[in-house]
């Protein structure tokens, strides 16, 4: 019963979030200067042609009617038709989403692999040199703009050293693997294409490391804070009194308990990465949702921009639901989650 109550609350929250995001993005999109119909028709097109396109797109209707139409389509799972590509927005997003998700997942794994040990060391050696270095790296990661870091990485590792490719998902001339999951790493392995896999890894390193470093600070600071709380608990002193070694206590007792409050941050970080990939994908010419929405903004493609915002917001709420469930699995002692 408690789980069903939780599920009902989260589903209601999902509907409210989607409605709020659709309203806000619709309002912002129509506040942007410019006329999509004029952009489609061209600067030299006649006023009659532009008016015809506006009527065809429904842009000549009052705003409340335009939003009402959009909302009714949204209830039916229709995100509208892209003005730029003339395809359903949902179809476009399904095409570009796997590339963005693959990049975000690899970046999250890199951030966890580096951020968790960094946070643990920072807490264990509190106020010592290691702690100062770890905190400096964390603050640097949080405060560094992803696009600036990405441009610097391209200049250094692609321009000067020539170690890694500067953009794209695969080298020119290589054919993508058969689409199974949409993840080039997984699909190339399933197809037995070792060369494609290695090439996809090389193209992932720079954009994933850029996003991962920006996220590393969030992970490290959260783990450090949670570890400091756990290291001050009575059970830690009791375990040490029983003769357990310092690192046994830290890794087997303190760290698992510190990860429980960190689940929220780690889960929602994935949502942040989906949004944060917009600029990173643009810098690295990564063919994902970020590059798609940037081109849509430049083309005043309102349905595509709103569809992207609604999809990522939907994922955020789903991640919140998943986190609540994970809480209950990790520690059944946790009471009802509101």
């Amino acid at each position: 019963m408690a789980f069903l109550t939780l599920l009902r609350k989260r589903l209601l929250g999902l509907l409210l979030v989607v409605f709020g995001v659709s309203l806000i993005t619709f309002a912002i999109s129509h506040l942007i200067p410019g006329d999509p119909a004029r952009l489609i028709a061209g600067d030299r097109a006649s006023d009659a042609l532009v008016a015809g396109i506006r009527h065809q797109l429904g842009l000549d209707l009052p705003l409340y009617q335009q939003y009402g139409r959009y909302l009714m389509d949204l209830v039916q799972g229709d995100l509208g038709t892209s003005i730029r590509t003339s395809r359903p927005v949902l179809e476009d997003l399904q095409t570009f989403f796997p590339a963005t998700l693959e990049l975000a997942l690899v970046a999250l794994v890199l951030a966890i692999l580096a951020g968790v040990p960094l946070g643990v060391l920072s807490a264990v050696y509190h106020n010592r040199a290691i702690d100062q270095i770890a905190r400096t790296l964390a603050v640097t990661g949080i405060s560094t703009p992803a696009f600036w870091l990405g441009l610097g990485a391209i200049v250094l590792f692609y321009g000067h050293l020539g170690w890694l490719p500067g953009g794209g998902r695969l080298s020119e001339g290589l054919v993508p693997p058969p689409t199974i999951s949409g993840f080039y790493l997984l699909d190339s392995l399933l197809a037995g294409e070792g060369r494609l896999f290695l090439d996809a890894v090389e193209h992932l390193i720079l954009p994933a490391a850029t996003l991962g470093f920006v996220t590393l600070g969030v992970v490290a600071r959260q783990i450090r804070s949670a570890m400091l709380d756990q290291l001050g608990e009575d059970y830690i002193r009791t375990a040490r009194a029983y003769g357990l070694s310092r690192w046994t206590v830290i890794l087997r007792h303190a760290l698992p308990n510190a990860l429980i409050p960190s689940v929220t941050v780690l889960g929602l970080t994935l949502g942040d990465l989906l949004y944060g990939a917009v600029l990173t994908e643009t810098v690295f010419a990564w063919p994902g949702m970020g590059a798609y929405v940037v081109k849509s903004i430049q083309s005043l493609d309102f349905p595509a921009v709103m569809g992207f915002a609604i999809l990522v917001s939907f994922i955020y709420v789903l991640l919140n639901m998943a986190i609540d469930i994970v809480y209950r699995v990790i520690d059944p002692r946790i009471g009802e989650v509101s």
Side-chain angles (χ1 to χ4, degrees):
M1 289 298 295
F3 177 78
L4 292 178
T5 301
L6 170 66
L7 188 59
R8 283 196 297 268
K9 289 181 178 179
R10 291 297 180 259
L11 289 176
L12 178 60
L14 174 61
L15 294 176
L16 293 175
V17 167
V18 171
F19 172 75
V21 170
S22 67
L23 182 60
I24 293 172
T25 52
F26 180 85
I28 293 176
S29 297
H30 285 74
L31 288 174
I32 298 175
D35 186 354
R38 173 65 67 181
L39 195 63
I40 294 173
D43 294 335
R44 298 183 179 180
S46 64
D47 292 339
L49 178 60
V50 174
I53 295 176
R54 287 183 59 81
H55 178 73
Q56 181 182 356
L57 297 176
L59 297 176
D60 56 345
L61 296 173
L63 288 180
Y64 72 91
Q65 291 187 16
Q66 292 185 45
Y67 179 69
R69 281 188 174 187
Y70 180 76
L71 202 58
M72 291 301 297
D73 291 338
L74 186 60
V75 171
Q76 303 174 42
D78 183 5
L79 296 178
T81 302
S82 170
I83 297 174
R84 182 173 59 89
T85 66
S86 300
R87 298 194 306 171
V89 172
L90 185 59
E91 183 180 321
D92 280 345
L93 293 176
Q94 288 174 341
T95 300
F96 295 108
F97 181 69
T100 297
L101 184 58
E102 182 179 41
L103 174 59
L105 287 175
V106 174
L108 180 61
V109 169
L110 293 178
I112 291 174
L113 291 178
V116 171
L118 201 63
V120 171
L121 291 174
S122 182
V124 172
Y125 298 101
H126 182 52
N127 286 335
R128 300 183 188 177
I130 294 180
D131 184 25
Q132 298 298 330
I133 294 173
R135 290 164 65 183
T136 301
L137 284 175
V139 172
T140 302
I142 293 173
S143 57
T144 302
F147 72 89
W148 181 87
L149 185 61
L151 289 173
I154 291 175
V155 170
L156 177 60
F157 294 102
Y158 171 69
H160 290 296
L161 299 176
W163 290 354
L164 295 168
R169 294 185 76 185
L170 287 176
S171 297
E172 187 176 354
L174 292 182
V175 179
T179 301
I180 300 175
S181 64
F183 297 169
Y184 280 9
L185 296 182
L186 179 59
D187 290 351
S188 59
L189 286 178
L190 293 176
E193 297 283 352
R195 181 188 174 191
L196 279 179
F197 175 78
L198 294 177
D199 192 80
V201 169
E202 288 182 351
H203 282 77
L204 254 175
I205 290 176
L206 284 185
T210 298
L211 273 179
F213 182 74
V214 172
T215 309
L216 171 113
V218 177
V219 177
R221 287 169 65 89
Q222 172 60 33
I223 294 296
R224 177 183 182 273
S225 177
M227 281 293 296
L228 286 175
D229 290 339
Q230 293 300 319
L231 292 176
E233 295 290 333
D234 292 338
Y235 77 91
I236 296 294
R237 289 189 289 270
T238 302
R240 292 297 304 274
Y242 273 101
L244 296 179
S245 67
R246 183 185 188 188
W247 284 103
T248 299
V249 173
I250 290 171
L251 297 179
R252 294 185 57 184
H253 298 280
L255 181 57
N257 288 322
L259 288 175
I260 294 176
S262 303
V263 168
T264 301
V265 173
L266 296 178
L268 295 182
T269 295
L270 179 59
D272 292 334
L273 288 171
L274 293 177
Y275 269 124
V278 171
L279 291 178
T280 305
E281 288 183 3
T282 303
V283 170
F284 287 98
W286 187 265
M289 289 196 307
Y292 171 75
V293 77
V294 167
K295 293 178 181 178
S296 299
I297 293 172
Q298 294 171 342
S299 304
L300 299 180
D301 189 351
F302 300 148
V305 176
M306 291 188 291
F308 170 78
I310 289 173
L311 175 62
V312 178
S313 301
F314 182 83
I315 293 174
Y316 253 102
V317 179
L318 289 183
L319 287 173
N320 266 296
M321 293 175 61
I323 289 167
D324 288 337
I325 295 173
V326 170
Y327 268 150
R328 292 172 176 271
V329 174
I330 292 177
D331 191 350
R333 296 171 301 174
I334 296 177
E336 286 200 10
V337 181
S338 58

